[in-house]
Amino acid sequence: MSRRTGGSAIQQSLPYLLLVVIGALLYFLMPEQLPLFSRIAIMAIFVMSLDLVVGYAGLATLGHAALFGTGAYAAGLAALHLAPDPLLGVVIGAAAGALVAFLSGLFILRYQGLTFLMLSIAISQILGNLASKLRGWTGGDDGLTGFSNSAVLGFARFDLYGKTAFVYSGIVMLLCLFVMRRLMGSPFGLSCVGIHQNRLRMAAIGTDIPGQLLKLYVFAGFFAGIAGALSAQTNQIVGLDSLGFELSAEALVMLVLGGAGTLYGAIAGAAIFMLIHHVASTLNPYHWLFIIGGLLVLVVLVPRERLVGHLGRRLSPLLSTGRAGVAVKGSVRP
C-alpha cells in the first residue's frame, strides 16, 4: 500500500476515532447525563437519514417522522409480541421504515417542490391518525408500553443509569455513519448528488431519476427506522409524537444548524439542538425556542465559509497547529 493510500485511510478514520474519544470522555466524565447523550446519538441517526433526502437529493420534506415513528412502533410491537431481542427489534424497525418509504415514495416522488413537501406531511398525518385509531395495537394517545428488552448480545442489560443504552446507541450511530458515507461516496450516491445539482443533465445522459430517488428514499427510511427502533428500546414507550409534524420540523432545524449535505454536520446539528434544548428548557421551559431561532438566523444570514473561517482565525493562535489555514468548501460531500 502506498504512503498516500495509507495516509488517506488514516485521515478517513480520524472522524470515527474522534467520535469514539468524545463518547468515552462523556461516559466517564458525565455519567449522570448518559440518557441525554443516548437521545443525541439516536437523533443524529435520524437527522443523517434526513440529510440523505434533503442535503444530497435536494428533496424538501417535513414528513420524515413517518419513517421514524413506523420504525419505533414496529420495534415496540416486535418486543411485545415476538421477542424482546434489541437487535431483532432494530432489524424489524429498519425494515418497517424502508417499507413505508418504498410505498409512499412510489407516489410522492412523482412530484417536486411544494407538492412533494405537502404530500410528505400528509403521509405523516395519515400514519399518525392511523396509530391513534388502532388503540388495541398502538395504545392510542396513551402510547405503546408494556414491552421490555433483553440483554444486548446476551450479556449487556439495559440499566437505569443509561450506560448500556449509551454504548448501544453510540455503536449503532457509528455503524450507520460508516454505511451512509460509503453509500453516498459510491456511484449511486454521486448520481443522486448529480440529480440534485442538475436534474435535466442527468436525465439527458440516461439516468433513471425516479428509480435512483426511490432507492435513496428507501435507504433513508431504513436508517430512520433504525433511529425509531432505538428510541423505542431506550425509552420503552412509543407515543404519537414519534409520527408528528413537530419531530420532522425539529430534525430539519438540526440539519440546518449543522449543515445539509454533510453527514458530520447532521451529527453536530443534532448535538447542538439537543444540548440547547436541554439547558435552555431547564432554565426557561417557555422561551427556549428564541435561542434556537437566533441560531437559525445566524446560520442563514452569515455564510458558513465566513463563519468557519472567522472561528478558525480565532482558534488558530490557541491551537498552534502550524497550519496556514483551512479552506472550507461548500460542496456536497459524504
Side-chain angles (χ1 to χ4, degrees):
M1 182 176 63
S2 65
R3 182 179 301 176
R4 179 179 299 180
T5 303
S8 176
I10 294 175
Q11 185 177 6
Q12 292 179 1
S13 63
L14 282 178
Y16 301 101
L17 294 176
L18 178 61
L19 289 173
V20 171
V21 170
I22 292 174
L25 291 175
L26 295 175
Y27 183 88
F28 290 107
L29 298 180
M30 304 180 68
E32 70 282 355
Q33 297 295 339
L34 291 182
L36 170 63
F37 300 140
S38 300
R39 293 197 298 272
I40 291 176
I42 293 170
M43 288 306 300
I45 300 173
F46 180 49
V47 178
M48 283 192 291
S49 72
L50 177 64
D51 197 17
L52 298 183
V53 180
V54 177
Y56 288 94
L59 300 173
T61 174
L62 279 172
H64 207 61
L67 312 178
F68 178 93
T70 300
Y73 274 108
L77 289 172
L80 191 61
H81 298 289
L82 294 179
D85 183 16
L87 298 182
L88 176 62
V90 166
V91 172
I92 292 177
L99 179 61
V100 170
F102 175 75
L103 296 177
S104 61
L106 287 174
F107 173 65
I108 66 175
L109 288 174
R110 299 171 181 266
Y111 306 93
Q112 302 178 43
L114 184 60
T115 304
F116 176 83
L117 179 70
M118 298 305 295
L119 288 175
S120 67
I121 297 175
I123 295 296
S124 180
Q125 295 295 318
I126 291 173
L127 290 178
N129 187 262
L130 185 64
S132 178
K133 298 296 183 183
L134 298 176
R135 294 185 57 89
W137 284 87
T138 65
D141 296 334
D142 298 327
L144 177 63
T145 58
F147 60 90
S148 60
N149 305 303
S150 60
V152 181
L153 297 178
F155 66 90
R157 294 190 174 277
F158 288 87
D159 55 275
L160 294 176
Y161 303 100
K163 294 181 178 180
T164 299
F166 173 72
V167 176
Y168 174 51
S169 302
I171 292 175
V172 175
M173 185 198 75
L174 289 176
L175 291 175
C176 290
L177 173 62
F178 175 78
V179 174
M180 278 189 260
R181 288 193 70 231
R182 295 295 298 268
L183 177 68
M184 300 317 298
S186 67
F188 163 74
L190 296 177
S191 70
C192 293
V193 175
I195 293 172
H196 179 195
Q197 294 177 347
N198 196 320
R199 183 180 288 248
L200 293 178
R201 180 172 294 181
M202 293 299 293
I205 63 176
T207 303
D208 180 15
I209 292 178
Q212 294 293 86
L213 291 180
L214 180 60
K215 292 177 186 177
L216 185 65
Y217 199 61
V218 171
F219 280 122
F222 178 86
F223 292 111
I226 290 177
L230 290 177
S231 176
Q233 292 170 353
T234 55
N235 297 323
Q236 294 191 3
I237 184 173
V238 184
L240 293 177
D241 56 343
S242 63
L243 290 164
F245 172 81
E246 183 177 353
L247 179 61
S248 297
E250 287 183 353
L252 190 59
V253 170
M254 296 178 199
L255 184 59
V256 172
L257 285 177
T262 59
L263 296 174
Y264 298 122
I267 297 175
I272 292 171
F273 184 93
M274 296 291 288
L275 289 174
I276 291 176
H277 183 188
H278 177 72
V279 175
S281 61
T282 301
L283 297 176
N284 191 328
Y286 300 103
H287 302 101
W288 68 274
L289 280 174
F290 281 106
I291 301 176
I292 295 295
L295 283 175
L296 283 175
V297 171
L298 179 65
V299 170
V300 171
L301 296 182
V302 180
R304 194 173 305 278
E305 294 83 356
R306 179 180 173 185
L307 182 60
V308 175
H310 176 73
L311 292 176
R313 288 191 298 270
R314 291 288 186 180
L315 294 176
S316 57
L318 300 176
L319 298 175
S320 300
T321 58
R323 294 182 178 179
V326 179
V328 180
K329 296 183 180 180
S331 59
V332 176
R333 59 190 184 278

